[in-house]
Amino acid sequence: MAQAYMTEKGNGGSEPEPSGSRFRRRLAELRGDPGIWRRGLVLAAISVLISLVMIFHAQLPNDVGNLGSLTETFLPWLGLAVPVLLAAALLRRSATALLAILLAAVVWANLFGGLVTDKSGSGGNLTVATHNVDADNADPRGTAESVARSGADVLALTELKGSAVPVYEKALAGTYKYHSVEGTVGVWSKYPLSAGSPVDIKMGWTRAMRATVDTAHGKVAVFVAHLPSVRVKLNAGFTANQRDNSADALGAALAAEPLKKVILLGDLNGTMNDRALSEVTSQMRSTQGAAGDGFGFSWPAQFPMARIDQIMVRGITPEASWTLPRTGSDHLPIAARLTL
């Protein structure tokens, strides 16, 4: 066997075959291997299926367990299958599987490649932040102080427990002169606030509000919302009907807003890919998608897998968008720098 990798010299000795020769010989063997196109058909089929799901995710039905919305919530994670399938294809020495995996990689890069790069700029004259503080947060004061250090001019908090509101008010009073709380959501501002009022998102209690912020660059309508939670159940799939109805109501309120400059802050319990939020996402621009660094996943805080907390704008230019350090909540706070 050893002689297969040695070349004879004129003096009767031998030396290792050059690596280039070994590579060419190996390539020739593969070319002459008729099984290279027949092996790995299952791997190829899986890769093609993943590509089709990514391309046609909008056509996946929501009639059964909201399958479409569930897939769209975690759609970027399908890219993890590419390196796994690639390793398997190389072990199987399957050209068919390699081509199919290349297709999946190209589709993923086309959909999400732009989110991986850092698109943030240096401009901006208003910084905003939002945080689902978690009703069961054991350290509301520490959470408030942490998000205040973000330097945000306007801060939105959601899932405010009634008994904890005074704690947040006291902790934020030194940074924010103005604030307004409606139900379980609130907005704190360094600029004057007016017209704070609840927004009906068809839940039976207040989890959304609107206020006008009088900035140095004009008036801005700020909406704060916490849409209903969704659940993944074995017998019902992705249950999100109440969330979807509330999203439609929020979209109607945004569409009726007379001010040209609008900011939406809060926990929407859905990603920008989720078709169920289309009444909102169709008229607003995600700061993370436009000017973020990476995916900006915000939930769960221990191992973020989805960006369900959102900062969206209309009539305003996003300059940068990022996540903030973890607090006592199960969500990460997020922030953005804007140009009015």
Side-chain angles (χ1 to χ4, degrees), residues 13-37:
S14 61
E15 65 178 13
E17 183 180 1
S19 58
S21 299
R22 290 200 300 271
F23 174 78
R24 287 192 294 270
R25 185 173 55 79
R26 189 62 174 162
L27 185 61
E29 289 178 358
L30 290 175
R31 287 174 178 174
D33 181 4
I36 195 171
W37 297 104

Side-chain angles (χ1 to χ4, degrees), residues 13 53 98 179 277 318:
V53 169
L98 286 174
H179 82 279
L277 302 185

Side-chain angles (χ1 to χ4, degrees), residues 11-266:
N11 60 3
S14 61
E15 65 178 13
E17 183 180 1
S19 58
S21 299
R22 290 200 300 271
F23 174 78
R24 287 192 294 270
R25 185 173 55 79
R26 189 62 174 162
L27 185 61
E29 289 178 358
L30 290 175
R31 287 174 178 174
D33 181 4
I36 195 171
W37 297 104
R38 293 198 296 266
R39 289 191 297 268
L41 295 182
V42 173
L43 293 174
I46 294 173
S47 300
V48 171
L49 178 61
I50 290 173
S51 298
L52 292 175
V53 169
M54 289 190 289
I55 294 171
F56 299 107
H57 64 86
Q59 278 67 53
L60 291 174
N62 253 352
D63 298 334
V64 180
N66 282 290
L67 176 63
S69 287
L70 176 60
T71 302
E72 288 164 342
T73 298
F74 300 103
L75 196 62
W77 291 94
L78 288 179
L80 288 180
V82 171
V84 175
L85 292 170
L86 176 61
L90 291 174
L91 287 174
R92 291 283 292 146
R93 296 192 303 166
S94 168
T96 303
L98 286 174
L99 288 177
I101 293 165
L102 176 62
L103 171 64
V106 169
V107 171
W108 188 92
N110 182 60
L111 289 174
F112 304 110
L115 293 176
V116 176
T117 59
D118 184 359
K119 301 176 291 299
S120 59
S122 57
N125 49 32
L126 184 76
T127 300
V128 299
T130 183
H131 189 25
N132 178 326
V133 296
D134 186 0
D136 297 322
N137 193 324
D139 184 21
R141 181 179 180 82
T143 295
E145 292 173 345
S146 177
V147 292
R149 287 193 293 269
S150 68
D153 302 302
V154 177
L155 170 65
L157 301 182
T158 63
E159 204 168 299
L160 289 167
K161 191 176 182 179
S163 59
V165 169
V167 179
Y168 287 104
E169 290 176 328
K170 183 177 180 180
L172 295 172
T175 305
Y176 301 97
K177 186 176 179 180
Y178 309 94
H179 82 279
S180 177
V181 175
E182 297 288 345
T184 62
V185 299
V187 58
W188 278 256
S189 174
K190 296 179 182 178
Y191 296 106
L193 276 175
S194 62
S197 59
V199 173
D200 183 10
I201 56 172
K202 312 301 182 185
M203 291 189 63
W205 70 95
T206 302
R207 288 197 1 173
M209 66 172 291
R210 178 216 177 272
T212 299
V213 179
D214 192 1
T215 76
H217 302 276
K219 295 183 182 297
V220 179
V222 174
F223 286 77
V224 183
H226 182 194
L227 298 187
S229 300
V230 296
R231 298 288 184 269
V232 180
K233 301 178 180 179
L234 291 176
N235 61 340
F238 193 63
T239 59
N241 291 339
Q242 190 177 23
R243 190 278 310 268
D244 299 351
N245 294 335
S246 291
D248 292 344
L250 177 60
L254 289 166
E257 173 55 49
L259 290 180
K260 292 184 178 180
K261 295 183 172 102
V262 184
I263 302 174
L264 171 62
L265 304 162

